[in-house]
Amino acid sequence: MGHIWMSSEAFVRSLSEDAGCRSGFALGETDILERLGADHQFVDEVTTRGFIRLASNDYADTVGDLLFALGTARTPGMPALSRRFLWNIGQESGESFDIWRLMEIEAVAHEYARRKLSHDESQGEVFQELRQLLGSNEENFIPRLLAAVDEEIALNPFYGRDIAKSGLISLNDLFHSEKLPSNDGRLFDQRFVDFLNRNPEELLRMHWRQFEGLAAEWFQRQGYTVELGPGRNDGGIDLRLWKDDVSQSGPPTVIVQCKRYKDKVDRVTVKALYSDLLFEKATGAMVVTTSDISRGAKQDIRAREYPITAANLEEVTSWLSEMRTPGSGFLSFDDPPSK
């Protein structure tokens, strides 16, 4: 296999475009190095401003490593299309297909992907060939093979699909910006959800306003009508929640206080939240935190029968797992296959 030489600056620019556009992030060199990690095979060459010698599959694997670190891809590297297909059907090579048939399916699937990208009218012929290669299980396997094709197109840098570069967001905004989404009805950006699901330790570093947005997005997806406070001078109430069958003109069903804390939420905070609950005439209250409720605060809740619950770090992490959409959040393929 041939190799190419490129400067570290050119390497970073290529990664920024190929991984950034596919993940929806505007990536700078610092973002790339931090996400690849100090042990990655090409980081030394980049930091020393050297020239990099790499094969095409090494470059594709690096794009895949970066997409995985950003929460866009489900695995590091750039696995073969046939491997993606086997994952989708929950099998290993040899269970339904011998290696030679699998290689043939992969080759034809790549050709289908190429024609699909170019809107070639003959793609339907290749689609029928794929059906024949899948044999008796084709009705069950064809949707999973097409999903593997779409994933390959979305993630592999050697598929030159035109990807709009507008609308990219800075990963740095998660940690330093109070700005939340203002369109699509979302209260927190899906790309940040996928990133945090892959990197839950970053919950402790994210901006407090973004943490409020994350909680608001979760409750909205659970069917609540959500009023997200202004962030500052909100009187200690970050979210007001109403059940779908409760008018927003009346008292909220639940009030929420978000605490992106390393330390545990203390008794004073819990007592103040109970006072707010009484003032708002809410049915209940919740603390959403990156830590937990202190032992003393839990004792007060039990002893005084406060209608207050908590979502701690473990639960918030589980929210991310339920909300994630790696591989489908930014890029979508809505066009049906030609038949």
Side-chain angles (χ1 to χ4, degrees), residues 224-287:
Y224 287 94
T225 298
V226 179
E227 179 184 281
L228 175 61
R232 298 181 184 275
N233 301 317
D234 56 14
I237 301 175
D238 298 318
L239 310 176
R240 291 175 175 84
L241 312 178
W242 288 265
K243 290 280 193 181
D244 286 339
D245 56 350
V246 175
S247 172
Q248 195 172 351
S249 63
T253 308
V254 182
I255 59 171
V256 180
Q257 191 167 91
C258 301
K259 294 295 184 184
R260 194 223 52 194
Y261 279 0
K262 291 184 180 179
D263 297 330
K264 292 188 176 182
V265 178
D266 59 20
R267 313 172 77 159
V268 173
T269 300
V270 168
K271 290 178 180 178
L273 182 58
Y274 180 65
S275 177
D276 290 333
L277 178 150
L278 295 177
F279 181 79
E280 293 278 328
K281 297 182 174 59
T283 304
M286 175 179 279
V287 178

Side-chain angles (χ1 to χ4, degrees), residues 72-111:
T72 306
R74 55 176 163 171
T75 183
M78 195 61 59
L81 194 157
S82 58
R83 172 55 59 185
R84 300 187 195 278
F85 170 53
L86 291 174
W87 287 336
N88 290 349
I89 63 175
Q91 295 185 13
E92 294 294 330
S93 178
E95 292 185 39
S96 294
F97 307 99
D98 61 44
I99 187 64
W100 302 110
R101 175 56 62 90
L102 196 59
M103 290 174 64
E104 188 175 7
I105 290 172
E106 180 174 78
V108 176
H110 275 297
E111 179 61 20

